[in-house]
Amino acid sequence: MATYKLQSSACGRVPRRTFLADLGMGFTGLALGAMLHRDGIANEAATWSPPNGFPQIAPKAKSVIWLFMIGGVSHLESFDPKPALNKYAGMSMAATPYKGVLDKKFLDDNIRTAAPDQRKILSKLYPLQVGYSRRGLSGAEVSDWWPHVGGCVDDLAIVRSMWTNDIDHGAQLQFHTGRNRLDGFFPTIGSWVHYGLCTLNENLPQFVVMGNPIADCCGGQEAHRANYLGPEHDAVPLVADPQNPLAYGRAPLGVFREEQEAEFEMLERLDRLALAEYPDDSKALARIKSYELAFRMQRAIPEVFEFNQETNATQKLYGLDAAATAPFAKHCLAARRMVERGVRFVQIYHGGTGNAGGWDAHSALHANHSANCAAVDKPIAGLIRDLKQRGLLDETLVVWATEFGRSPGTEGADGRDHHPFGFSMWMAGGGIKGGVVHGATDELGFSAVENRHYVTDIHATVLHQLGLDSRRLEIPGRKRLEMEHGHVIRDIIA
């Protein structure tokens, strides 16, 4: 009886307020339908259908672990060392044999930022702040600040020719959506994966985010949200703490599981009543799905973070036994345990500080990067090695990235500025070639000059390895720009 009263008014009539609202929407819909038909969008919608959750092409990977360093890691002191910086240290770029690196075709035409006058080209060259050496059988040059990841270089495909068009920290959001911060908010790479593929584990979320996130100044939570795809495709934030891994994820003390289950059922019934009246309410759909998932996650999520189930050798492999590495090690070990259980996309931040980011070394670069590298190098290498020894690396794509590099020229006495014109990232596993270096910057590490790749080429490659085609993920009324789709980097695919 209670359900009947909620669904209709007295005498079975439609409530006056609902009738007037639907009537107005009807007239609006007639006019809108005519306009959409004229523009061809209505025809597109009539033939369009959403993804069925299965790969569109043969997949080579099942899951992604996306490691993002916030603030801008220096490519020069990580995966693209340039000995010319030591040779010509203190000199102006124009005074070196490589003055042509300032060719404008790679500079002004590509920059879009809210404060274009705040960033100037710093021409006085700053020497490398750490040594480097050739690593592995491939002989790829890697900074001495990355000895553990350098030891895994034969499993990596290093891309040294990345570029983006935001010279400020809006590039953090841009790396995740493919669109400049000035354009607004758009679905992120993890959300597109969530949208395109079905779950592999009904008790765990498909898209998870861990670590201190990007600050509001630079995109904030929108770096792991779905925007127009709907909130059900947002990432679920988790904390690497078995006692409290998910906000409000545990039942209140004194509440039995059966009581909570009844509460969720009541909430679902109320939401479905609203949904029957407004079937296109994406927020109501998301609420229903989140309640259902939340109830199942209460048991499954804490178990993911029970690191005491791992051997001492595994815990040491990640660096859980050392104060400097333990925080990030927990995230990396949790990521392995998640993909092992079927989580599709695990996004991990490092360097979230509530502002520009912990890697933003405008000064004291040596102290900044040596400490940050020491915090993440061993956990990341441990992740790669652990996935490999368990046979999971073949089906798990690991991505390491940052928003841009840092300038060859010095800022102040001992720092480097933001540098979007050429920088590095790498991938491992998931059908990617190991021991390869793709693309190149010039001799000073200023611009990407060989096999240049905008950030969405990474997105296209990730989607391709998972069996998805970005161009088949568009939805009616939301035409995506070519730059959003990117191009698969086929040279690094095994």
Side-chain angles (χ1 to χ4, degrees), residues 280-300:
D280 295 326
D281 186 344
S282 62
K283 291 185 178 180
L285 281 168
R287 279 197 303 271
I288 292 171
K289 290 181 180 180
S290 67
Y291 291 151
E292 293 171 347
L293 180 60
F295 184 68
R296 296 193 301 270
M297 286 196 306
Q298 284 188 348
R299 288 187 176 179

Side-chain angles (χ1 to χ4, degrees), residues 10 24 28 41 80-81 119 145 149 197 211 245 253 267 303 308-309 344 373 378 394 400 424 431-432 443 446 478:
T28 303
I41 296 175
D80 191 15
R119 302 291 171 195
W145 277 336
V149 172
L197 293 174
L253 292 176
L267 288 169
E303 191 272 337
N308 57 6
Q309 296 177 356
R344 286 284 192 188
C373 291
K378 186 175 183 179
D394 289 341
W400 180 93
S424 301
I432 295 294
E443 291 85 346
F446 195 94
R478 290 287 185 174

Side-chain angles (χ1 to χ4, degrees), residues 5 38 46 107 141 151 260 284 339 364 367-368 370 390 402 474 485:
K5 288 181 179 178
R38 179 195 65 198
L107 304 182
E141 297 154 321
Q260 193 178 30
V339 298
N368 175 288
S370 60
R390 294 171 186 270
T402 188
E474 284 193 351
H485 292 299

Side-chain angles (χ1 to χ4, degrees), residues 338-353:
M338 286 182 196
V339 298
E340 197 172 34
R341 289 159 174 77
V343 175
R344 286 284 192 188
F345 201 100
V346 182
Q347 186 164 317
I348 305 176
Y349 296 120
H350 180 267
T353 59

Side-chain angles (χ1 to χ4, degrees), residues 29 43 56 171 175 212 242 272 279 307 330 381 403 431 450 464 474 476:
N43 293 336
Q56 300 158 340
F175 206 103
N212 292 335
R272 290 197 181 278
F307 300 135
K330 290 179 181 178
E403 68 257 39
E450 179 185 309
H464 180 272
E474 284 193 351

Side-chain angles (χ1 to χ4, degrees), residues 7-341:
Q7 287 179 316
S8 61
S9 62
C11 303
R13 296 174 182 170
V14 176
R16 181 167 58 116
R17 185 174 299 172
T18 301
F19 172 77
L20 292 173
D22 290 346
L23 183 65
M25 291 169 67
F27 284 127
T28 303
L30 286 173
L32 179 60
M35 295 168 66
L36 293 176
H37 189 273
R38 179 195 65 198
D39 294 338
I41 296 175
N43 293 336
E44 176 191 359
T47 59
W48 175 85
S49 60
N52 61 10
F54 295 99
Q56 300 158 340
I57 53 180
K60 295 186 177 181
K62 291 181 179 178
S63 301
V64 176
I65 299 175
W66 180 276
L67 309 169
F68 192 78
M69 311 292 107
I70 303 174
V73 179
S74 172
H75 56 299
L76 306 167
E77 278 92 8
S78 57
F79 301 102
D80 191 15
K82 296 292 181 180
L85 294 182
N86 293 337
K87 183 175 182 179
Y88 300 105
M91 295 177 60
S92 167
M93 291 182 193
T96 74
Y98 308 120
K99 60 183 178 181
V101 303
L102 298 177
D103 189 327
K104 289 291 186 183
K105 70 180 180 181
F106 294 145
L107 304 182
D108 297 343
D109 291 346
N110 287 323
I111 292 301
R112 292 181 62 218
T113 183
D117 296 332
Q118 291 185 9
R119 302 291 171 195
K120 303 295 183 183
I121 300 300
L122 302 173
S123 63
K124 182 181 177 181
L125 293 176
Y126 190 47
L128 297 177
Q129 296 301 292
V130 67
Y132 65 92
S133 59
R134 294 186 178 276
R135 308 276 182 165
L137 296 176
S138 62
E141 297 154 321
V142 179
S143 154
D144 292 344
W145 277 336
W146 296 88
H148 297 284
V149 172
C152 301
V153 74
D154 288 334
D155 293 311
L156 310 185
I158 301 172
V159 181
R160 289 178 172 170
S161 51
M162 299 302 303
W163 67 273
T164 188
N165 68 18
D166 194 331
I167 203 166
D168 218 328
H169 292 289
Q172 295 169 12
L173 179 67
Q174 187 170 17
F175 206 103
H176 292 88
T177 67
R179 293 291 293 272
N180 192 282
R181 177 67 183 85
L182 298 176
D183 296 337
F185 300 133
F186 296 87
T188 60
I189 175 61
S191 296
W192 282 115
V193 172
H194 188 289
Y195 175 75
L197 293 174
C198 61
T199 183
L200 297 172
N201 187 329
E202 293 288 348
N203 297 322
L204 292 171
Q206 285 180 250
F207 180 17
V208 163
V209 62
M210 294 186 290
N212 292 335
I214 288 169
D216 290 343
C217 64
C218 314
Q221 307 289 329
E222 297 300 327
H224 53 260
R225 284 184 174 166
N227 197 261
Y228 61 73
L229 293 179
E232 66 269 29
H233 301 296
D234 289 347
V236 174
L238 296 179
V239 179
D241 177 4
Q243 301 304 315
N244 189 29
L246 176 67
Y248 308 107
R250 289 186 177 275
L253 292 176
V255 176
F256 290 102
R257 185 171 178 82
E258 292 78 10
E259 292 179 83
Q260 193 178 30
E261 186 172 9
E263 291 175 357
F264 278 130
E265 287 177 356
M266 173 60 76
L267 288 169
E268 180 183 354
R269 286 200 300 270
L270 292 173
D271 279 330
R272 290 197 181 278
L273 288 171
L275 197 60
E277 195 165 354
Y278 299 103
D280 295 326
D281 186 344
S282 62
K283 291 185 178 180
L285 281 168
R287 279 197 303 271
I288 292 171
K289 290 181 180 180
S290 67
Y291 291 151
E292 293 171 347
L293 180 60
F295 184 68
R296 296 193 301 270
M297 286 196 306
Q298 284 188 348
R299 288 187 176 179
I301 287 291
E303 191 272 337
V304 169
F305 297 103
E306 293 289 351
F307 300 135
N308 57 6
Q309 296 177 356
E310 303 288 341
T311 65
N312 288 335
T314 297
Q315 294 183 43
K316 289 181 179 180
L317 178 66
Y318 283 84
L320 261 70
D321 58 334
T325 51
F328 199 71
K330 290 179 181 178
H331 291 140
C332 290
L333 180 52
R336 188 224 83 202
R337 290 172 65 85
M338 286 182 196
V339 298
E340 197 172 34
R341 289 159 174 77

